[in-house]
Amino acid sequence: AYHVLNVDNHAGAVAMVITGLPARGRRTWVSDVDFHVIGATSLRVTDLPADIDLYADDVDRFWAKLRNGDDFAHWSVWYGCVLFDSGVIREAATYVAEQDAWPDLDRKLRQARNALDFAEQIAESGDYGAALEQTRGALSLVARWVLLSGEVFPLARDELAGQLEQLGQARLAIDLRRSIRE
């Protein structure tokens, strides 16, 4: 079945970007499709399949995230597949290039630490499925922090292990790959 994500003019969207592996034509069985909608404050979406995630920011919040080093906002600008843009993505790309803007390392490290703590709590609960999901997310955040620290922009989750290997982080690459594929 085909599902159409309809963002009409009434929603106030000024840009829409696909992120992750699908944006780069490399979708795998574990890939979801992430849409980053900018300018929309309230979207009415119904009946979206589980593998579609919708992120919405008003324009001011998008710019604040970009300036504060949110790596998802940066990903949308650097690697996203722009479906439509009234100019905000183009302006953001200019800003990133002129300012040599980079995601905030401290922010990513805090996210990774919190995710690891939460994954440990879930693992102690004995719920294997939930523990695996949380561990996968925590390892992904750690990988993103390691890559950003090494001045490598993290790509989509399924590509992180390869990037880690190139950076000499074989153990983390193995653990992340196992959490994704096994």
Side-chain angles (χ1 to χ4, degrees), residues 94-111:
T94 300
Y95 166 82
V96 167
E98 289 177 352
Q99 300 299 314
D100 197 23
W102 192 251
D104 185 306
L105 297 174
D106 293 333
R107 180 180 179 279
K108 189 51 61 184
L109 181 58
R110 282 190 307 276
Q111 289 175 335

Side-chain angles (χ1 to χ4, degrees), residues 92-181:
T94 300
Y95 166 82
V96 167
E98 289 177 352
Q99 300 299 314
D100 197 23
W102 192 251
D104 185 306
L105 297 174
D106 293 333
R107 180 180 179 279
K108 189 51 61 184
L109 181 58
R110 282 190 307 276
Q111 289 175 335
R113 285 183 174 155
N114 290 340
L116 285 168
D117 290 344
F118 187 64
E120 185 176 6
Q121 292 172 9
I122 298 299
E124 290 171 359
S125 77
D127 183 341
Y128 177 78
L132 176 60
E133 184 176 328
Q134 293 305 316
T135 299
R136 180 184 307 122
L139 289 174
S140 297
L141 288 168
V142 170
R144 291 176 188 286
W145 174 75
V146 166
L147 291 166
L148 289 168
S149 297
E151 298 183 356
V152 175
F153 198 92
L155 297 175
R157 179 181 287 170
D158 203 45
E159 299 170 296
L160 295 175
Q163 289 185 287
L164 289 167
E165 289 167 345
Q166 291 177 354
L167 204 59
Q169 297 289 331
R171 183 72 240 173
L172 180 55
I174 290 167
D175 291 343
L176 178 60
R177 191 172 279 123
R178 287 184 65 204
S179 77
I180 293 171
R181 302 209 187 285

Side-chain angles (χ1 to χ4, degrees), residues 62-63 65-79 88-103 153:
F62 169 74
W63 274 102
K65 285 180 171 183
L66 193 66
R67 288 186 179 108
N68 291 327
D70 177 276
D71 60 317
F72 185 73
H74 278 260
W75 213 108
S76 293
V77 171
W78 287 50
Y79 296 105
V88 69
I89 298 296
R90 188 178 319 107
E91 291 171 24
T94 300
Y95 166 82
V96 167
E98 289 177 352
Q99 300 299 314
D100 197 23
W102 192 251
F153 198 92

